[in-house]
Amino acid sequence: MREIIVVGYQNYDFAKSLVVGEIIYEDFCLDLRGFEALIFTSKNAILSLEENAKKHSQMQEWKQKPSYVIGRGSAKVLQNLGGNLAYISPNSHGKEFATLLQHTLSPQTSLLYLRAKNIISNLDETLKNAGFSIHSQIAYHSSPLSLKNSQKPPKNSILLFTSPSAYAYFLQNFQWDSSYLAVGIGKSTFESFESGIKKEISPIQEIEKSIKLLQSRLGV
């Protein structure tokens, strides 16, 4: 029987998981009074902001700022922390999110984009080029783990990657097996896959729902 394995940064109680890296929150303190809205493309940026707000009480006002996010998972984290959810992007790709924001926000709105150290979409540059006032703050970065060869997934595994970096860190540890099927959560992850491998993009960006869809469709 084929196994579905989530490859990313945490273990999940509803699926077999392979943790290939760790998320490290950056230390920062910002004066949020000059920003009218917040942009998040990852739940890790939200969690990092909250951790820093615990250390710098003046940053707790982030919860009153309208927040524009990618993905229902990020939206759920934001709401659980008491944030002000203004918009959830129906699309999981940063470049297309930037286009949607151009039609949703006024260029006069002062924006704060909380982001990873390394990004693919250049959302901030896209909005700047469109005339928006946007400040970027690196909120977190990722670091690979060194795994044992015994942790390599068995042949015919279905590997559900949660981010482009998770795929990169997997390849730092293991040689790709031609029997694997790579599934990307989101367009950026899918586009990071090498050519010539068996791959597809999940139509659902929520991990648990994506797994259920794969189980139903592939009979695993």
Side-chain angles (χ1 to χ4, degrees), residues 36-186:
E36 299 171 89
L38 309 178
I39 297 174
F40 301 99
T41 55
S42 165
K43 68 177 183 180
N44 294 312
I46 301 169
L47 293 169
S48 176
L49 177 57
E50 174 63 5
E51 284 302 306
N52 281 284
K54 289 177 181 178
K55 294 180 282 187
H56 307 285
S57 59
Q58 69 270 29
M59 290 175 60
Q60 282 293 338
E61 69 175 273
W62 79 263
K63 296 176 182 178
Q64 281 71 56
K65 306 284 184 181
S67 292
Y68 296 76
V69 306
I70 280 182
R72 295 192 178 278
S74 294
K76 184 176 181 180
V77 168
L78 186 132
Q79 289 179 308
N80 287 344
L81 291 174
N84 176 11
L85 180 63
Y87 181 80
I88 307 174
S89 172
N91 190 291
S92 64
H93 196 239
K95 292 179 181 177
E96 291 163 15
F97 184 34
T99 300
L100 290 168
L101 290 174
Q102 290 177 49
H103 297 293
T104 305
L105 292 165
S106 165
Q108 283 71 47
T109 305
S110 180
L111 306 172
L112 174 62
Y113 174 33
L114 285 300
R115 45 161 282 197
K117 182 178 181 179
N118 297 311
I119 57 174
I120 295 175
S121 67
N122 293 323
L123 177 148
D124 47 352
E125 293 301 319
T126 301
L127 289 174
K128 281 181 182 178
N129 292 337
F132 282 77
S133 173
I134 181 169
H135 173 78
S136 294
Q137 172 64 50
I138 297 174
Y140 69 97
H141 69 274
S142 62
S143 179
L145 297 178
S146 181
L147 305 180
K148 299 176 182 177
N149 197 55
S150 60
Q151 294 175 270
K152 183 177 181 178
K155 286 180 176 294
N156 298 309
S157 293
I158 301 164
L159 304 179
L160 183 62
F161 291 96
T162 61
S163 68
S165 58
Y167 175 65
Y169 295 161
F170 180 91
L171 294 181
Q172 287 183 29
N173 281 280
F174 307 118
Q175 183 175 0
W176 188 260
D177 190 287
S178 61
S179 67
Y180 292 155
L181 170 63
V183 181
I185 289 282

